[in-house]
Amino acid sequence: MIKLIYQRALSCLNFATHCRTGAWIHTSQCGLSAQAVQFTQQCTSFEELPKSEFDSYAYAALIQDCIQNGDPTLGMQLHCEILKRGGCLDLFASNVLLNMYVKSDLFSHANKLFEEIPERNTISFVTLIQGLSESERFVDALDLFVRLHSEGHEFNPFVFTTILKLLVRMGWTELGCNIHACIYKLGLDCNAFVGTALIDTYSICGHVDIARHVFDGIICKDMVSWTGMVACYAENGYFEEAIELFYQMRVIGFKPNNFTFASVLKACLGLGALIAGRSVHGFVLKSHYEVDHFVGLALLDLYTRSGEVADAHGVFAEMPKGNVIPWSFMIARYAQRDQCEEALDMFHQMRQALVVPNQFTYASVLQACATKEALDLGKQIHCNVIKVGLELNVFVSNALMDVYAKCGMIENSVKLFDESPDRNDVTWNTMIVGYVHLGDGEKVLSLFSSMLRYQVQATEVTYSSALRACASMTALGSGLQIHSLTVKTIYDKDIVVCNAIIDMYAKCGSIKDARLVFDKLNQRDEVSWNAMISGYSKHGLALEAIKIFEMMQKTSCKPNKLTFVGVLSACSNAGFLDRGQAYFNCMMQDYGIQPCIEHYTCMVWLLGRSGHLNKAVKLIEEIPYEPSVMVWRALLGACVVHNNVELGRLSAERVLQMEPQDEATHVLLSNIYATARRWENVASVRKNMKKKGVKKEPGLSWIENQGAVHFFTVGDTSHPDMKLINGMLEWLNMKTWNAGYVPNCDAVLLDVEDAEKEQLLWVHSERLALAFGLIRTPSGSPIRIIKNLRICIDCHAAMKLISKVVKRAIVVRDINRFHHFQDGVCSCGDYW
């Protein structure tokens, strides 16, 4: 918009300068009179110029011709000739010569000439200010504006449009209010040129109401003024107002131009008004703007974002094919919509059309490669990028990092990251997200700290990724710190970040904090509801999960597949058989969601855990596709709970057919035989494991204290605080015996005497971690323990009694869920 104003202002500036004398008649292209054109054609060399007297008029015409032809060398030769003849150019010709140097970016000559002009006028200043602004020498341009004011030159509309454009380019649009005050005092606020420049300035600031006030104050509104206001509305999200103003403009009789059409199409897209957009497209065709660059891109944006690919192709077919931008636009839109094959096909067509890609083309096609994990193609494009010298471009480099990270070659991403001379927030985020996908939480947090240390502004992607890393590591301390950082920024209100905070607290065992964040959300999306439902489910709080689901049903957010995974998981964790079956049926009947393998897995576990093993087997037979390993593992787990040896053996066989090296299945099968005291079968399973090279994962528990993580294995004696830990265990053993503790020796699946089993129970890894926590953490604070396996039934009973004895909350996260022990009760209700 401001570019259009500038072009119009410059055209009028040429007209004003040429009208210095009555002999000049403005022409449509170069501002030369017919007499001047004829004169320049006749003068083929400087020697042919009249020698009897110095003719500034003739020299101005020749200099103007140099400007039009883009020939500064000839212009400088002409300047030398002028100096030889005494250099007596009048002010008008001097300004034309100044304009020639400015247009040629010869600012040292322009400044020298400017200082030598004996009687500069406003046009002299405006010419040089415009040139300095276009060359991004903003400080020099601003200093010159101050000189214009201090030397007492006239402030006309061209001065104000130039300074407003300068402020926009500098990003100092807020100062437009000060300029507006000056404009108002001089009575120029009703001028169409100045008013339109003010509208553009206020548009960039987001002050739409003030822009409209300026628009209403313009007495003789022209097409550019109307277009400026339509663009202001469209750029600031006032889509209905933009379309309404466009309609008023048409009623008055103004014909829209390419900028008008581009803005109103953006408004149609913002409203999702595809039909209105098609109507505007029809008007575009009648006005013959369909091949215009700006209008074409706006139409492509409308149709691609609306999913109308055929219409987008139709528009693209009408656009000139020699320009890289439409090609890049289509490739980018396909890549953003995960239509990777179409993006890559469009890139191949572009190369066949001999159109040279730019950095944005490469960035978009690499995005498609990353989504597809097409490593070979990504490498080929990387080679091509190196050939054209774009490997250090920040957009291309970031896209390459993403390709390698998503294809599992993070070392290549690190190399590109280290070599990148111009890192931005996307560069850091690409690496952080890459390590999140790899599950390397420690590296994520290290990069996050480095990013802050280098004072790179973190974004919602940064915070949400760092919080995901904390959730995966159950690093509550780090998660709390990152949450505190978001509170100091605008991102504590961002829905993506808030969802990550909820998930982090839930997965780190602090479900109450997760609920506090959830309750404070101004708006909730499906992810917010799913995170809370899943969180409650993992904590064994099925009733709370169901309440959240019922709250969700009363909102505009519709449950999706993940919602029902959370709800069915909550029901299976609590043994709510009737509710679980009702929700399973409701999912299909009321919401039209076809069950996926996760839904069937939840139902098999719910039926099997509730003792309905035959119904669980029948449901597996009804699955319309091949049951996965997860389904058979769920049935195997239920068989372990109910000691159904034969069905457990069959389930284990099914799992091992699909995953022969599955360690957990071997262990569960061994446990079934051990519980049934079939020691020969136990020995056979262990022999089979040894033959296959399958090793049982050792039981491991860990606890965080003052930023350090302490690990414990079964019977561990390596910890430096082992004497204190053993002393605490003896004290706990005595206290729990007095409180009614009776050891459950069935939890030790070894063929040894009960006395030895009782001793082994007290050196389980979770009890060692608990003893350490009681020693080293502040009195009264909750103790949080993570375990890589399922907590055994005896440790579960002991933890309940210990929480009552020591009067402290104990949170244990095992491989399946959280257990909150407090006052002798567990949140799971002894059903896990």
Side-chain angles (χ1 to χ4, degrees):
M1 188 62 238
I2 198 71
K3 182 178 180 182
L4 182 64
I5 297 166
Y6 172 63
Q7 289 171 345
R8 185 180 63 177
L10 185 57
S11 174
C12 294
L13 176 60
N14 288 334
F15 176 81
T17 55
H18 296 162
C19 289
R20 181 186 63 87
T21 171
W24 284 85
I25 302 172
H26 179 68
T27 62
S28 61
Q29 290 195 357
C30 61
L32 295 176
S33 67
Q35 181 184 0
V37 172
Q38 184 180 6
F39 181 84
T40 54
Q41 288 173 345
Q42 293 171 351
C43 297
T44 56
S45 68
F46 298 153
E47 283 71 18
E48 295 180 38
L49 288 167
K51 295 181 173 58
S52 57
E53 62 180 17
F54 191 91
D55 191 344
S56 281
Y57 170 82
Y59 279 116
L62 287 173
I63 295 167
Q64 184 70 25
D65 193 42
C66 293
I67 295 173
Q68 296 299 322
N69 294 331
D71 191 353
T73 304
L74 183 59
M76 293 175 72
Q77 292 173 7
L78 190 57
H79 190 188
C80 291
E81 181 67 22
I82 292 168
L83 293 173
K84 287 178 183 178
R85 297 190 178 191
C88 300
L89 289 178
D90 62 10
L91 180 58
F92 166 70
S94 296
N95 284 338
V96 174
L97 182 58
L98 178 65
N99 192 34
M100 190 270 295
Y101 281 125
V102 165
K103 291 283 180 63
S104 305
D105 286 334
L106 300 170
F107 284 102
S108 59
H109 296 292
N111 285 324
K112 189 172 186 299
L113 175 63
F114 178 81
E115 297 298 340
E116 290 174 353
I117 297 175
E119 294 182 5
R120 293 180 293 268
N121 64 0
T122 301
I123 294 171
S124 311
F125 278 91
V126 170
T127 300
L128 190 51
I129 290 171
Q130 287 177 343
L132 292 168
S133 176
E134 289 296 328
S135 299
E136 298 186 356
R137 298 173 62 173
F138 300 132
V139 176
D140 293 338
L142 205 57
D143 289 341
L144 208 57
F145 174 74
V146 174
R147 277 185 64 183
L148 184 152
H149 175 62
S150 62
E151 292 181 15
H153 293 284
E154 175 192 6
F155 272 27
N156 60 24
F158 303 113
V159 174
F160 286 117
T161 54
T162 301
I163 189 62
L164 287 169
K165 174 179 166 45
L166 175 61
L167 292 176
V168 168
R169 291 180 67 90
M170 295 179 71
W172 291 3
T173 49
E174 294 294 339
L175 291 178
C177 296
N178 297 13
I179 305 298
H180 190 182
C182 185
I183 291 168
Y184 184 79
K185 287 179 182 178
L186 294 175
L188 292 174
D189 54 316
C190 58
N191 180 280
F193 296 123
V194 179
T196 307
L198 279 169
I199 289 169
D200 188 61
T201 305
Y202 282 123
S203 173
I204 292 170
C205 294
H207 299 319
V208 179
D209 293 340
I210 303 176
R212 182 57 195 254
H213 179 74
V214 172
F215 175 77
D216 292 337
I218 299 174
I219 295 175
C220 297
K221 301 179 182 70
D222 60 6
M223 182 270 296
V224 180
S225 306
W226 284 91
T227 298
M229 197 62 229
V230 171
C232 175
Y233 277 137
E235 293 294 332
N236 288 279
Y238 290 70
F239 303 125
E240 291 182 5
E241 291 83 350
I243 293 175
E244 175 63 27
L245 197 66
F246 175 73
Y247 173 74
Q248 293 175 21
M249 176 183 176
R250 294 291 302 121
V251 169
I252 292 171
F254 283 106
K255 291 184 178 180
N257 63 14
N258 51 344
F259 297 106
T260 323
F261 282 125
S263 297
V264 77
L265 285 167
K266 180 172 184 175
C268 292
L269 176 60
L271 289 173
L274 181 61
I275 296 175
R278 291 188 191 278
S279 300
V280 176
H281 189 183
F283 193 9
V284 165
L285 293 172
K286 290 179 182 178
S287 305
H288 305 293
Y289 275 112
E290 66 273 13
V291 296
D292 179 83
H293 178 71
F294 294 105
V295 177
L297 290 179
L299 285 168
L300 286 179
D301 202 24
L302 171 70
Y303 288 129
T304 52
R305 288 187 185 273
S306 302
E308 302 294 328
V309 179
D311 289 318
H313 272 293
V315 173
F316 181 74
E318 296 294 325
M319 298 181 71
K321 297 297 184 294
N323 194 325
V324 67
I325 295 178
W327 289 97
S328 296
F329 188 93
M330 288 295 290
I331 293 169
R333 283 290 177 266
Y334 279 132
Q336 289 160 5
R337 293 172 62 85
D338 289 344
Q339 294 176 283
C340 303
E341 290 294 343
E342 290 85 348
L344 297 175
D345 182 59
M346 184 67 70
F347 179 69
H348 290 148
Q349 291 180 41
M350 176 184 174
R351 300 299 288 137
Q352 290 171 356
L354 303 179
V355 179
V356 179
N358 60 17
Q359 64 268 38
F360 304 109
T361 320
Y362 283 120
S364 297
V365 77
L366 285 166
Q367 181 183 351
C369 292
T371 304
K372 278 194 68 179
E373 297 185 10
L375 180 60
D376 290 339
L377 182 58
K379 285 181 175 180
Q380 291 176 35
I381 295 173
H382 190 179
C383 293
N384 193 238
V385 163
I386 293 171
K387 287 180 182 178
V388 298
L390 285 174
E391 70 275 13
L392 296 181
N393 178 272
V394 67
F395 300 108
V396 179
S397 178
N398 290 346
L400 282 168
M401 287 180 209
D402 193 38
V403 171
Y404 287 122
K406 287 182 178 173
C407 293
M409 297 186 68
I410 196 70
E411 62 278 0
N412 289 24
S413 300
V414 172
K415 187 174 184 294
L416 288 166
F417 179 82
D418 292 337
E419 293 173 354
S420 178
D422 185 25
R423 297 174 190 163
N424 58 12
D425 60 305
V426 178
T427 314
W428 288 90
N429 288 341
T430 301
M431 293 302 302
I432 287 171
V433 171
Y435 278 112
V436 168
H437 285 306
L438 288 175
D440 192 342
E442 291 185 6
K443 192 64 179 177
V444 170
L445 296 183
S446 174
L447 276 169
F448 177 71
S449 299
S450 298
M451 183 177 180
L452 297 183
R453 192 165 57 251
Y454 280 104
Q455 297 184 340
V456 180
Q457 184 65 51
T459 66
E460 67 273 20
V461 175
T462 321
Y463 286 117
S464 59
S465 299
L467 287 162
R468 282 179 62 189
C470 294
S472 67
M473 298 191 302
T474 60
L476 181 60
S478 298
L480 279 167
Q481 292 177 35
I482 295 170
H483 185 188
S484 300
L485 284 175
T486 65
V487 172
K488 297 176 182 178
T489 68
I490 60 171
Y491 294 112
D492 67 320
K493 301 293 187 297
D494 183 270
I495 187 68
V496 174
V497 176
C498 288
N499 290 342
I501 293 171
I502 293 169
D503 187 56
M504 181 274 296
Y505 279 127
K507 288 180 178 175
C508 290
S510 188
I511 194 67
K512 289 182 179 178
D513 288 321
R515 183 59 187 268
L516 283 173
V517 176
F518 177 81
D519 288 340
K520 289 180 181 178
L521 289 179
N522 294 324
Q523 66 174 99
R524 303 181 181 115
D525 59 10
E526 290 85 353
V527 179
S528 314
W529 293 100
N530 291 348
M532 205 65 241
I533 292 168
S534 174
Y536 275 131
S537 173
K538 281 190 173 295
H539 285 262
L541 303 170
L543 290 176
E544 285 80 357
I546 291 169
K547 285 179 184 176
I548 293 291
F549 175 65
E550 290 172 349
M551 286 170 59
M552 181 183 183
Q553 288 178 306
K554 296 174 183 177
T555 69
S556 59
C557 283
K558 290 190 175 181
N560 56 24
K561 286 186 176 183
L562 289 176
T563 313
F564 281 101
V565 169
V567 172
L568 293 175
S569 175
C571 292
S572 63
N573 285 341
F576 293 164
L577 181 60
D578 293 338
R579 285 190 178 187
Q581 290 177 320
Y583 287 133
F584 186 73
N585 295 329
C586 155
M587 176 178 68
M588 295 180 284
Q589 295 169 5
D590 298 345
Y591 295 99
I593 298 173
Q594 291 302 313
C596 63
I597 200 66
E598 287 81 8
H599 300 127
Y600 282 114
T601 302
C602 289
M603 289 305 298
V604 168
W605 172 246
L606 175 58
L607 289 166
R609 181 69 177 84
S610 301
H612 301 281
L613 294 171
N614 292 333
K615 289 183 179 180
V617 172
K618 185 180 178 183
L619 180 62
I620 293 174
E621 292 171 351
E622 293 173 356
I623 296 176
Y625 38 83
E626 186 67 27
S628 72
V629 169
M630 291 191 298
V631 173
W632 290 110
R633 277 184 190 148
L635 182 61
L636 175 58
C639 292
V640 172
V641 172
H642 294 287
N643 298 324
N644 190 318
V645 179
E646 191 57 30
L647 185 56
R649 182 184 61 79
L650 293 172
S651 303
E653 286 178 359
R654 286 300 189 93
V655 174
L656 294 175
Q657 283 174 7
M658 290 182 272
E659 292 188 12
Q661 299 296 116
D662 186 64
E663 170 259 329
T665 300
H666 284 96
V667 172
L668 287 174
L669 182 59
S670 173
N671 290 349
I672 289 179
Y673 288 137
T675 303
R677 298 187 179 278
R678 292 168 55 169
W679 303 113
E680 290 182 2
N681 295 108
V682 172
S684 176
V685 171
R686 290 180 178 176
K687 184 179 179 181
N688 193 27
M689 288 175 69
K690 188 175 181 180
K691 183 179 178 181
K692 292 180 179 180
V694 178
K695 294 183 178 180
K696 179 183 181 298
E697 183 181 7
L700 186 69
S701 298
W702 59 95
I703 182 171
E704 184 181 356
N705 181 47
Q706 296 182 351
V709 179
H710 300 261
F711 295 89
F712 297 91
T713 57
V714 178
D716 199 346
T717 58
S718 62
H719 197 277
D721 289 337
M722 209 62 230
K723 288 185 178 179
L724 294 173
I725 290 171
N726 287 331
M728 176 59 72
L729 288 174
E730 289 181 14
W731 183 81
L732 290 174
N733 191 0
M734 178 186 67
K735 288 291 184 180
T736 52
W737 272 99
N738 293 337
Y741 165 71
V742 177
N744 187 339
C745 294
D746 291 338
V748 179
L749 301 176
L750 296 173
D751 189 15
V752 295
E753 297 295 327
D754 284 353
E756 187 176 350
K757 288 182 178 181
E758 290 179 16
Q759 292 177 358
L760 290 172
L761 288 172
W762 278 98
V763 291
H764 277 192
S765 62
E766 54 264 54
R767 298 198 202 190
L768 295 174
L770 174 62
F772 172 81
L774 289 170
I775 294 165
R776 293 301 183 190
T777 59
S779 177
S781 64
I783 298 172
R784 303 178 191 278
I785 299 168
I786 314 297
K787 184 173 173 60
N788 66 335
L789 301 176
R790 184 174 180 268
I791 188 173
C792 81
I793 190 169
D794 187 74
C795 286
H796 190 272
M799 292 280 183
K800 288 198 297 181
L801 284 171
I802 291 169
S803 69
K804 188 175 183 180
V805 168
V806 300
K807 300 188 185 311
R808 291 176 71 172
I810 302 168
V811 181
V812 178
R813 177 186 173 181
D814 69 7
I815 196 170
N816 292 325
R817 58 152 66 166
F818 283 92
H819 296 265
H820 292 257
F821 301 98
Q822 193 159 15
D823 296 325
V825 178
C826 180
S827 59
C828 72
D830 296 339
Y831 189 96
W832 88 100

